[in-house]
Amino acid sequence: MNFSAKASPWWTPSVHADRRPFLIGRNAIQAALRGFFAREDFIEVDTAALQISPGNEAHLHAFGTEALTTDGQRAPFYLHTSPEFACKKLLAAGEQRISCFAHVYRNRERGPLHHPEFTMLEWYRTGESYESLMMDCVRMLALAAETVKTPKLTYRGAESDPFAGPERISVAEAFERHAGIELLASVAADGSTDRNHLAAELRRVGMRVADDDGWADLFSRVLVEKVEPHLGFGRITILDEYPVSEAALARPSARDPRVAERFELYACGVELANGFGELTNAAEQRRRFEIEMAEKARVYGETYPIDEDFLAAVALMPEASGIALGFDRLVMLATGASRIDQVLWAPVAEYGR
């Protein structure tokens, strides 16, 4: 199949003039956040985009490539979907507070909030709880707004006050409040899930259930259709305590083994960040990756390799908390942009037949 690049309008003077205020705001916010991390004694690191594995989450799609060795042999590589594996190796090496602005790559993603190449801001704190990351997020969103002199974050008519105290709600509470579903009744103490029980709950509240839907499919449908449309309006929302089956890289909660130390940050209905109390059990991490790749094979007919070096590093990692924030999305909400390509200096070309 032949594809040819469409003409990209972003570089024309008139279009660039419209986009330039967003881009200048982007640079100012990035500089402000770098100052925030410097004041908090973080070391900024830079990670390689080419990796043995792009990550092992079932529904993330990577760009594959290959390297030629000096003797002409072909070696498969992937563009990373996150700098997480490399950052955790640095934690294993002895770094304690690190931050990273990384260009990352995700296939099958393009739209107002998605781009094949975008900037992910990740940071890690060793020896600190994941609640410390929540406080980082609150401070950083306020800093972004202050930097571009706006009193609120906005997206397509929605508003969120970054200076107000955030709402913090568990996933189970959100399912009960917004969908009328008792989520944890379908999760056992060992983290295993009951697909039929959750399917019955969806049918009871009038939601669609397909015969081939797994528990994770049903969970995602409720989250997307019933829960996310209510998050981050008026003030920031911290959606906390995901079921352990939906948190492959997070440790279980000491309070309830059915849920994990994972939270997501929302403003104006837009997901901005995904934070964890990091899992440091290498055997459990391998088991979870294998489950994710089995699901990927079932749904998409493909898998990605497991990075054995990463698992070896997990075994050496200290207790830590880490988070990934979509930097471009934060810039959008702070500057009032309506599409992610408006805040990218040079967007990826679009292709058509």
Side-chain angles (χ1 to χ4, degrees), residues 27-282:
N27 283 16
I29 292 170
Q30 187 170 38
L33 294 184
R34 282 195 160 113
F36 169 87
F37 285 116
R39 291 188 295 274
E40 292 285 313
D41 295 325
F42 279 76
I43 300 296
E44 183 169 347
V45 302
D46 191 14
T47 62
L50 287 173
Q51 298 287 332
I52 295 296
S53 173
N56 297 105
E57 296 181 45
H59 302 293
L60 284 186
H61 303 279
F63 288 89
T65 186
E66 61 182 16
L68 294 178
T69 63
T70 54
D71 60 355
Q73 299 298 310
R74 297 179 184 275
F77 276 92
Y78 296 87
L79 294 175
H80 64 177
T81 58
S82 161
E84 180 171 6
F85 285 10
C87 285
K88 287 183 175 178
K89 291 174 184 178
L90 288 169
L91 296 182
E95 295 297 338
Q96 297 183 335
R97 288 188 179 185
I98 58 175
S99 63
C100 179
F101 283 95
H103 279 235
V104 298
Y105 308 84
R106 296 188 179 182
N107 221 335
R108 298 195 187 189
E109 294 192 10
R110 190 148 202 162
L113 290 169
H114 297 85
H115 204 73
E117 178 180 353
F118 62 98
T119 299
M120 183 173 285
L121 169 58
E122 290 201 6
W123 68 99
Y124 295 82
R125 291 177 176 268
T126 61
E128 298 184 58
S129 73
Y130 79 133
E131 280 87 355
S132 65
L133 304 177
M134 298 178 190
M135 297 310 301
D136 286 341
C137 288
V138 171
R139 294 164 63 195
M140 290 165 62
L141 265 60
L143 177 59
E146 289 172 354
T147 300
V148 294
K149 297 179 174 56
T150 182
K152 57 195 174 185
L153 305 177
T154 60
Y155 181 67
R156 296 191 168 185
E159 297 181 355
S160 186
D161 183 351
F163 305 104
E167 170 194 33
R168 182 176 175 183
I169 183 173
S170 72
V171 174
E173 290 169 339
F175 269 55
E176 178 66 34
R177 179 183 302 176
H178 300 302
I181 290 174
E182 188 179 351
L183 175 66
L184 294 183
S186 66
V187 182
D190 64 358
S192 60
T193 55
D194 185 338
R195 180 266 180 198
N196 291 335
H197 188 284
L198 187 56
E201 283 288 283
L202 266 72
R203 293 190 183 99
R204 180 180 61 80
V205 298
M207 294 188 68
R208 174 177 59 88
V209 176
D211 291 341
D212 61 347
D213 281 335
W215 188 94
D217 300 313
L218 300 172
F219 172 85
S220 295
R221 185 167 302 135
V222 178
L223 184 66
V224 171
E225 295 181 10
K226 299 293 186 179
V227 175
E228 287 186 333
H230 298 279
L231 304 181
F233 296 96
R235 59 176 175 154
I236 298 161
T237 297
I238 295 170
L239 185 66
D240 191 17
E241 295 188 339
Y242 277 67
V244 290
S245 62
E246 298 301 307
L249 291 148
R251 59 180 171 241
S253 169
R255 187 188 64 79
D256 185 342
R258 297 175 297 174
V259 299
E261 292 187 354
R262 175 191 175 189
F263 74 91
E264 291 197 344
L265 179 74
Y266 289 83
C268 305
V270 176
E271 178 202 337
L272 287 177
N274 188 11
F276 304 107
E278 301 292 354
L279 183 66
T280 55
N281 182 320

